Amino acid sequence: MSAQPSSPHHVLVLNCGSSSLKFAILDATSSEEIISGLAERLGSSSPSIKYKYLGKKYLLELTANQAHKEAIDTLVKLINEQNLASNLIAVGHRVVHGGEHFTKSMLIDDAVIKGITQAATLAPLHGHANLLGIASAQAAFKGLPQVAVFDTAFHQTMEKVAYLYALPYKLYTDYSVRRYGFHGTSHYYVASQTAELLDQPIEQSNFISAHLGNGCSVCAIKNGKSVDTSMGLTPLEGLMMGTRSGDIDPGLFNFLTTQLNYDAQQIDDLLNKQSGLLGISELSNDCRTIEEAAVAGNEKAILALEMFCYRLAKQVAAFMVPLQRLDALIFTGGIGENSDIIRDKVITQLAYLGLDCDNGANLAARFGTQGVISSQHASTKAVVMPTNEEWVIARDAATIAQEL
């Protein structure tokens, strides 16, 4: 990732999903948020934009079936009405999949568009939405540099032993089938911030970062670089997540097709949208709802939490193989930053790594508060570090824009 620019500038950050558009204008130096919001249910009968500006929350209703282009057009109008355009120096785009083409953030040109398009075949739902957002922003913000920041870039330091599948090698050489990993911008950010918190050089730090939200991934970071991560070719591999199954026996596909007559789309929906915390609890994919039900004695909610924590602890333990030495276990993302229950359960299962959990510190480290949650006697630190992917995108976009 690029270094922080020397002077403050405002960057519009866009994160396009298949039916949503998350946006923010940030000061690329201070991380101050000028305006932020979410356009959701795009392409449906009731799209809308919710945003926060000067401490107040607003709602804009869009016309039925309006999609990304119209949402960006509305955003441009809003930016102009609030006189926010004059300070913009770049637009930064979160791009989920960069394949092997991109190992760092890039100024978007025809060659970058071609690379993103090729990688989109590996993550069609995310990739095509990213391309749509880029095209819409280029039309709306003519003259502003557009910068792509890739979720996969941080993991391009992994070695073949970590990223190859044990499949015929030509599937990798001919079709780029390999493990890529995601949440790279988040893992990069919290690792650098944790190194600062612990007052040690990132180049000499070994961390395991757990990004836990509706999507979850773990990253082994050795001397500041990603050496392994739990997600793979797609964001489905690895941990149990909100609605995703994570790792399963590949033989399940044959069982579902031959015994239950599932087609490919039904299997995809099952694994991506009906599994994980939702599938086991049969209540919700929201960790808060499941925790409340577990406290009330709901057996399936209790089981869902126990499975989630057990699988997370197993993955952390596995990443001691490439690291050998661990300085800190980092919790981030919506669940990682706010669930003291899950943090305590995971740390308890990893006590043999020199981790422990200070109850007071664990309870205090919620709702955007960073801190060390292990005791002073712990040989390995447990840290809660709120992520800020938007700031990383803004910094990279500002730095590249200044170099033009």
Side-chain angles (χ1 to χ4, degrees):
M1 298 289 176
S2 306
Q4 180 173 312
S6 58
S7 58
H9 292 288
H10 293 174
V11 174
L12 172 62
V13 175
L14 297 178
N15 179 359
C16 279
S18 58
S19 61
S20 66
L21 169 64
K22 186 178 180 182
F23 63 88
I25 294 178
L26 291 91
D27 185 308
T29 300
S30 68
S31 81
E32 177 190 2
E33 188 178 271
I34 313 302
I35 188 173
S36 64
L38 174 68
E40 55 187 345
R41 299 187 301 276
L42 298 178
S44 75
S45 60
S46 57
S48 64
I49 297 179
K50 299 175 183 177
Y51 69 96
K52 182 178 179 182
Y53 179 57
L54 297 178
K56 294 183 179 181
K57 295 181 179 180
Y58 301 88
L59 173 65
L60 295 174
E61 301 288 351
L62 300 177
T63 303
N65 300 317
Q66 286 193 327
H68 293 77
K69 182 182 184 303
E70 292 82 7
I72 289 179
D73 289 343
T74 302
L75 175 58
V76 172
K77 182 180 178 181
L78 174 63
I79 289 171
N80 289 330
E81 287 175 348
Q82 303 299 335
N83 297 316
L84 299 176
S86 60
N87 290 327
L88 289 177
I89 64 164
V91 180
H93 296 266
R94 180 196 179 207
V95 178
V96 170
H97 215 309
E100 290 186 315
H101 301 286
F102 305 109
T103 60
K104 61 181 181 180
S105 301
M106 298 290 293
L107 180 70
I108 296 174
D109 57 18
D110 290 344
V112 171
I113 291 292
K114 182 179 179 181
I116 296 173
T117 302
Q118 291 172 346
T121 60
L122 300 170
L125 190 65
H126 295 92
H128 295 311
N130 293 154
L131 287 164
L132 183 59
I134 289 170
S136 299
Q138 286 177 324
F141 298 98
K142 291 186 172 79
L144 276 184
Q146 311 268 334
V147 175
V149 181
F150 301 93
D151 262 17
T152 50
F154 183 57
H155 302 302
Q156 284 298 301
T157 50
M158 291 192 299
E159 300 287 347
K160 283 187 176 181
V161 67
Y163 71 69
L164 283 180
Y165 290 113
L167 296 169
Y169 195 76
K170 66 179 180 180
L171 284 174
Y172 166 62
T173 55
D174 295 354
Y175 302 104
S176 300
V177 174
R178 52 158 285 184
R179 303 179 66 250
Y180 290 95
F182 301 88
H183 295 141
T185 306
S186 177
H187 290 304
Y188 160 79
Y189 175 80
V190 298
S192 61
Q193 294 299 113
T194 299
E196 288 188 21
L197 177 67
L198 301 181
D199 193 25
Q200 63 187 63
I202 185 66
E203 298 82 5
Q204 299 172 23
S205 299
N206 282 14
F207 298 141
I208 293 177
S209 168
H211 179 107
L212 310 175
N214 193 49
C216 302
S217 70
V218 178
C219 181
I221 301 167
K222 186 172 186 177
N223 299 325
K225 295 182 178 181
S226 172
V227 293
D228 209 340
T229 191
S230 58
M231 284 181 168
L233 175 72
T234 75
L236 179 60
E237 185 180 350
L239 301 175
M240 177 179 175
M241 309 180 209
T243 62
R244 299 175 200 157
S245 65
D247 290 341
I248 57 162
D249 180 352
L252 175 66
F253 287 78
N254 184 61
F255 174 82
L256 291 174
T257 55
T258 60
Q259 302 300 313
L260 302 181
N261 296 317
Y262 275 49
D263 60 28
Q265 188 59 55
Q266 287 176 307
I267 294 174
D268 187 73
D269 287 344
L270 174 75
L271 298 179
N272 279 291
K273 300 177 181 179
Q274 302 166 20
S275 299
L277 290 171
L278 172 63
I280 297 298
S281 72
E282 297 185 329
L283 289 172
S284 174
N285 64 312
D286 191 311
C287 191
R288 294 166 295 186
T289 301
I290 296 173
E291 286 184 0
E292 290 171 2
V295 170
N298 184 296
E299 292 185 1
K300 289 179 181 176
I302 293 170
L303 177 60
L305 289 180
E306 293 296 334
M307 287 178 62
F308 184 90
C309 295
Y310 174 68
R311 291 179 174 214
L312 174 55
K314 277 207 308 181
Q315 185 65 79
V316 171
F319 280 166
M320 289 304 298
V321 174
L323 292 185
Q324 297 294 306
R325 187 198 86 247
L326 181 63
D327 296 316
L329 171 62
I330 307 167
F331 293 92
T332 193
I335 296 173
E337 295 168 25
N338 296 305
S339 179
D340 55 287
I341 294 173
I342 284 177
R343 294 194 300 252
D344 181 64
K345 286 180 177 293
V346 172
I347 291 170
T348 298
Q349 295 180 71
L350 296 170
Y352 67 93
L353 293 180
L355 288 157
D356 67 17
C357 188
D358 180 278
N359 289 334
N362 190 28
L363 285 171
R366 292 182 295 170
F367 315 123
T369 303
Q370 70 176 41
V372 176
I373 60 172
S374 49
S375 72
Q376 294 181 347
H377 307 293
S379 58
T380 303
K381 300 300 181 185
V383 173
V384 176
M385 183 59 65
T387 193
N388 195 339
E389 296 166 275
E390 288 79 13
W391 187 18
V392 176
I393 294 169
R395 288 190 306 181
D396 277 19
T399 299
I400 289 174
Q402 286 179 309
E403 293 171 349
L404 296 177

